[in-house]
Amino acid sequence: MDKIAVLIPCFNESQTIEKVVSDWKRELPEAVIYVYDNNSSDNTADLATKAGAVVRHEYSQGKGNVIRRMFREIDAQCYIMVDGDDTYPAEYGKQMANLVLKKRTDMVVGDRLSSTYFDENKRPFHNFGNCIVRGSINRLFKTDIRDIMTGYRAFSYLFVKSFPVLSKGFEIETEMTIHAVDKNMRIENVIIEYRDRPEGSESKLNTYSDGFKVLKTIGKLYKNYHPLGFFGRISTILILASALLFLPIAIKFLQTGFVPNFPTLIVSGFIAVTAIISYFAGLILETLTEKERQEFEFRLQVIENLEKSIKNIDFK
């Protein structure tokens, strides 16, 4: 088991990867630097090897697929995840690692949005999107994480081995955040400096399509983690719609004693029944979700015992 593993997912980062690896070797000489190349068409892998990184490959395209491979293959007491585009300074790595190793923090979030991100980032829609995502998650999940989509994080062994990676692309950071919040894991924010990509280096993010995927992921995870809240909101909307259709008919009936629009009354009734079904579906799923949380706590104990066993193995 490594003490600290620095995980760098890469796709066509030949302009910056040597500097990123060198910076991390200087700041954390005790760490093992892993670069996972994701079908790069340039010489990213060769340059990373030259700089002294352990280079491996993931052939399924997408950042989520790379993170899944990293988390499966690497055992470490502390994991630091960082992008290969040289936007995140390595100087904060030791502070983040100490929070995991000494304070047993499960996830440390490198907070760009509280420092230089909005000045350095030249893509205004990315800035706007980050604010929407942060506000949505903090409101829906009742938390206070300052940067949801940052690619600069540190993790404990417990988090990495208990995190089910479902996303294939850039929405992976959102999934990590919500998993940590829902499972009541210890989270800390570290304010970091952010610098924009150097000239000639291009972002792989598509503002609109990837932004839509992130918002879709938030909705899906909210449904999975808080089904009563999700289906309860749907039920409320349906009840209001049913009431709006039923109210004029009820008023007319009280005035004349006749039902003027039977089709509207029938539709209103069906909508009300659907609202009731939606609410009870959420109630049942909420019970199952609570049961899953209890089982997750038992799985954490198994992972903790496995970590202790690995630490005690003599590989000589």
Side-chain angles (χ1 to χ4, degrees), residues 285-295:
L285 291 172
E286 187 73 21
T287 303
L288 295 176
T289 301
E290 187 62 33
K291 179 66 175 175
E292 195 280 331
R293 289 193 185 103
Q294 294 174 3
E295 293 175 354

Side-chain angles (χ1 to χ4, degrees), residues 14 56 83 114 137 142 164 167 173 178 181 191 212 228 234 252 257 260 263:
S14 59
R56 295 177 181 174
D83 293 339
S114 299
I137 289 181
K142 296 178 176 60
S167 300
E173 284 95 353
I178 294 175
V181 170
I191 297 176
F212 177 74
L228 184 58
I234 293 176
K252 199 71 173 178

